[in-house]
Amino acid sequence: MKENVRALLLSKLKDENCLWSYDASKMNDISDDALIEHVLLYLDIDDINKLFPLFGYKKVKRVWLERVAPQGEMFRQYNILYAWYYFGAKRPEAYVKSIETRHINRILAA
């Protein structure tokens, strides 16, 4: 069952040409983290909802925090929605801004 959902999400990403930078012969080997990231960035709410039973709340949130939320202005409105709707942030705008700021500070400190 889970493999069917994973295959469906991967197929939708391929159909939308969201995996253009991946080697076509290795697309089926995409990591869970990359799959979660691309679904959050490029697919719709129905598809995003499929991530939670497939991977679990903690893993989806971790990938969102590490790979999606820090992406800044381009995806800020999505991230505010995710912070509020999926992750229960009371002040989603401030929460997303703090994630972005922490990410920038880590880069500058390195």
Side-chain angles (χ1 to χ4, degrees):
M1 175 72 175
K2 287 187 176 188
E3 284 303 313
N4 292 341
V5 174
R6 191 181 199 290
L8 173 72
L9 294 172
L10 190 55
S11 175
K12 285 186 174 191
L13 287 168
K14 288 178 189 176
D15 291 347
E16 295 291 326
N17 201 28
C18 298
L19 301 172
W20 60 269
S21 64
Y22 287 82
D23 181 347
S25 66
K26 297 180 183 177
M27 263 192 226
N28 291 330
D29 298 330
I30 189 171
S31 71
D32 291 347
D33 287 4
L35 179 66
I36 293 167
E37 175 185 7
H38 281 78
V39 169
L40 288 170
L41 291 175
Y42 303 114
L43 296 183
D44 62 23
I45 293 289
D46 290 333
D47 297 319
I48 293 167
N49 289 338
K50 292 177 177 115
L51 292 174
F52 292 93
L54 184 61
F55 297 109
Y57 176 86
K58 286 183 179 181
K59 185 170 189 166
V60 174
K61 185 173 183 180
R62 179 187 54 78
V63 172
W64 176 71
L65 285 169
E66 292 174 0
R67 297 175 75 151
V68 178
Q71 292 196 26
E73 191 172 331
M74 186 170 160
F75 294 103
R76 185 169 293 133
Q77 293 306 312
Y78 289 125
N79 286 318
I80 290 168
L81 171 69
Y82 300 156
W84 170 75
Y85 186 76
Y86 290 113
F87 306 118
K90 301 227 187 290
R91 295 179 35 227
E93 294 91 353
Y95 184 56
V96 169
K97 184 66 177 162
S98 72
I99 293 167
E100 293 171 356
T101 302
R102 276 195 307 266
H103 180 74
I104 290 169
N105 288 340
R106 272 190 229 123
I107 291 171
L108 294 174

